[in-house]
Amino acid sequence: MTSLRVEIDLGKIQANARCLVRRLGARGISVTGVTKAVCGHPDVAKAMLDGGVCGLADARVSNIIRMHAAGIRCPISMIRAPMVHETKEVIRCCDVSYNTEMDTIQNLGAAARDKAIVHNVILMIEMGDMREGISHKNLNDFATRVIATPGVALRGIAANFACMGNVAPTAGDMAMLSRLADQVEGDCGPVVDLVSGGGSANLPWALGDASTGRVNNLRLGEAILLGTDPVTGHPITDLHTDAFTIFAEVIETSRKPSPLLTRSIAPELGMLKLVRNDDLQVRTILAVGQQDTDASGLTFPSGIMIIGATSDHTVVDTAKSAVPVGSEIKMGMKYSALMRAMSAPDVAKVVHGKQTINGSAKDRETHPFLTLV
Ligand SMILES: *Cc1c(COP(=O)(O)O)cnc(C)c1O
C-alpha cells in the first residue's frame, strides 16, 4: 500500500452530517454539503447524502463533473461565481449557481436559452466578509434585473462569513439578511425561496437561541468533514474530528544537535544567541511536504512536534524517542492541510466504510471496507 495516504472514515462523515441535519432541521434550516475541500470526492459526497444533506455544493466545475461521473444525482450548486469560459458547463451540470455580476447572469441566461432550460440563480450578498457579494443598496435593482433576464430564475439570496476575515456572523448580521429577503420580495414578489445564511462559521448562531428568521439553509463543509468551528478551530459538540487522517513514512531518524541559531536575544547584542541547552534532539524526517499538504495544518500525536517542512520533507522532533525508519506517523489535519492533501496527486486516498450505493461501485474492484482511489 502507498505509504503516503489520507484515510477517510465515511461512517464518521455520515454521522457528522446526520447530527447537523437533525440539529439544524429542528431550527428550520436545511444543510447543503460542501465538497470543495475534498475535490468533490464521490464517496465523501455520498456519505454526506447518506447523512441527509438536501444537496451538494462545490466551488469548481471540475469537482461537480467528477461527482456526476460517479453517478451522484442530487441538486448540485456552484458556489463560486462562474467564470465566463465555463458558462456552458455550469448550465449543463449545476442546478443552481451563486452569482454577483449581472454580465455573468446574462451569459448564463443566454446559454440556458440555447439549451431550452432555465438556470437557477442565488444572489450572494456582501455582509462584511469583503469577499464576493452584491452590496445591500444595489440589491433590489439587481434582483429586478435578474428577474427580467430570460433563461434564469431568481431562487434566493445568500451570505458568506469568515472566509476572508475570520469573523463569525452576529445575530444582527443574520437578522439583516432576513430583512433583505423581505425587502427583495417587497419589490419583486415571492422569489426568495432560499435564504442561505453561510457556512460552518454560522453554526454557533444557528444552534444558539437567536431567532433564525428567514434563514432556511446553511452550506457546510468544515463542520461535516472535520467537526470543527472554522473561526475558533474548536471541536463542535458530538461531532467526529477524526474522519480524515494522514499517514507518512519515516525516511530518516537521527540524533542531531539542536540548531545553533535558535533566536536572537536582542539586535543590539549582536552575536549573542539563545541556544537550546538540552543535548541531542531526535529529528525525524517524514516523506511528506508542502506539495502534499499544508504542514502547518497538521496535528501530531503527543510527544511529536513539528520543526519545519519543505516541499517534500517534514522534520519533526520526537523528543528523546527514536521512531524507526519505515514506520509511519499518523496525523490529524486542519482544513488547509485536508484541502491540499485531497488535491495532491501523490497522496493516496483510502476509503473505509464504503457501501455500494445503487450498485454504483460494482464495476470497480473493491474490498468492502477498503478502496484505493
Ligand atoms: C467554502 C464555502 C462554504 C463552506 O464553508 P465551510 O466553512 O467549510 O463550512 C460555504 N459557502 C461558500 C460560498 C464557500 O465558498
Side-chain angles (χ1 to χ4, degrees):
M1 183 189 289
T2 329
S3 61
L4 179 57
R5 64 187 185 281
V6 171
E7 296 210 3
I8 308 170
D9 185 328
L10 297 178
K12 289 180 178 167
I13 295 164
Q14 183 184 332
N16 283 357
R18 191 174 299 288
C19 179
L20 290 162
V21 165
R22 182 177 47 75
R23 289 162 73 183
L24 290 167
R27 302 265 287 152
I29 296 176
S30 68
V31 176
T32 299
V34 178
T35 49
K36 67 182 187 220
V38 295
C39 296
H41 193 295
D43 294 325
V44 175
K46 283 175 190 161
M48 288 181 172
L49 289 167
D50 290 344
V53 301
C54 66
L56 298 169
D58 205 290
R60 291 175 195 249
V61 175
S62 54
N63 294 342
I64 295 175
I65 291 173
R66 183 181 180 194
M67 293 191 276
H68 274 293
I72 290 173
R73 296 282 176 267
C74 70
I76 305 185
S77 312
M78 173 72 176
I79 46 172
R80 182 171 71 183
M83 289 182 272
V84 172
H85 80 267
E86 62 191 8
T87 307
K88 284 204 177 86
E89 288 201 303
V90 170
I91 294 299
R92 191 169 54 78
C93 57
C94 310
D95 303 88
V96 185
S97 62
Y98 284 61
N99 284 279
T100 59
E101 287 284 353
M102 209 51 230
D103 286 350
T104 307
I105 294 170
Q106 271 155 4
N107 289 337
L108 290 167
R113 281 205 311 284
D114 283 348
K115 291 259 172 254
I117 58 170
V118 173
H119 181 70
N120 297 314
V121 166
I122 308 286
L123 299 183
M124 186 66 99
I125 303 170
E126 163 55 41
M127 302 279 295
D129 189 45
M130 306 305 266
R131 203 176 69 179
E132 78 278 26
I134 301 159
S135 80
H136 297 186
K137 64 177 196 312
N138 298 338
L139 182 60
N140 278 28
D141 278 355
F142 199 106
T144 309
R145 291 175 66 195
V146 174
I147 289 167
T149 305
V152 296
L154 179 60
R155 293 288 179 212
I157 62 172
N160 205 30
F161 296 91
C163 280
M164 289 288 285
N166 200 31
V167 183
T170 62
D173 292 329
M174 301 315 290
M176 167 67 92
L177 186 62
S178 289
R179 281 201 300 279
L180 291 171
D182 290 341
Q183 179 197 302
V184 168
E185 291 197 336
D187 270 9
C188 306
V191 288
V192 185
D193 298 337
L194 187 88
V195 182
S196 186
S200 301
N202 287 63
L203 284 169
W205 164 80
L207 298 172
D209 300 325
S211 154
T212 53
R214 291 203 51 181
V215 177
N216 58 11
N217 175 263
L218 289 181
R219 311 173 303 274
L220 302 181
E222 178 163 345
I224 298 177
L225 300 169
L226 296 178
T228 46
D229 176 320
V231 176
T232 61
H234 295 157
I236 299 169
T237 318
D238 296 335
L239 300 189
H240 299 283
T241 54
D242 58 350
F244 294 85
T245 43
I246 184 165
F247 291 76
E249 190 173 317
V250 174
I251 52 172
E252 184 190 302
T253 181
S254 56
R255 288 177 193 280
K256 291 186 185 168
S258 306
L260 207 56
L261 186 152
T262 304
R263 188 154 63 89
S264 258
I265 302 172
E268 62 275 21
L269 297 180
M271 295 302 290
L272 277 180
K273 307 282 185 214
L274 200 62
V275 172
R276 284 173 66 136
N277 62 6
D278 51 356
D279 41 3
L280 293 179
Q281 195 188 22
V282 179
R283 286 162 70 95
T284 300
I285 302 182
L286 305 177
V288 60
Q290 301 287 19
Q291 200 164 70
D292 308 299
T293 188
D294 171 22
S296 69
L298 295 174
T299 54
F300 292 88
S302 72
I304 301 185
M305 255 173 42
I306 185 163
I307 296 172
T310 59
S311 49
D312 312 292
H313 299 79
T314 298
V315 182
V316 296
D317 176 350
T318 50
K320 299 266 187 272
S321 57
V323 186
V325 164
S327 60
E328 289 182 337
I329 296 200
K330 173 181 173 178
M331 294 156 281
M333 287 180 285
K334 297 186 181 152
Y335 192 85
S336 60
L338 173 71
M339 176 185 78
R340 210 183 295 170
M342 289 305 290
S343 62
D346 290 336
V347 182
K349 284 80 184 175
V350 179
V351 173
H352 299 277
K354 184 167 160 138
Q355 294 158 359
T356 49
I357 301 156
N358 302 331
S360 59
K362 271 185 198 146
D363 317 356
R364 277 175 284 150
E365 262 241 80
T366 53
H367 178 279
F369 299 107
L370 208 60
T371 311
L372 202 58
V373 287

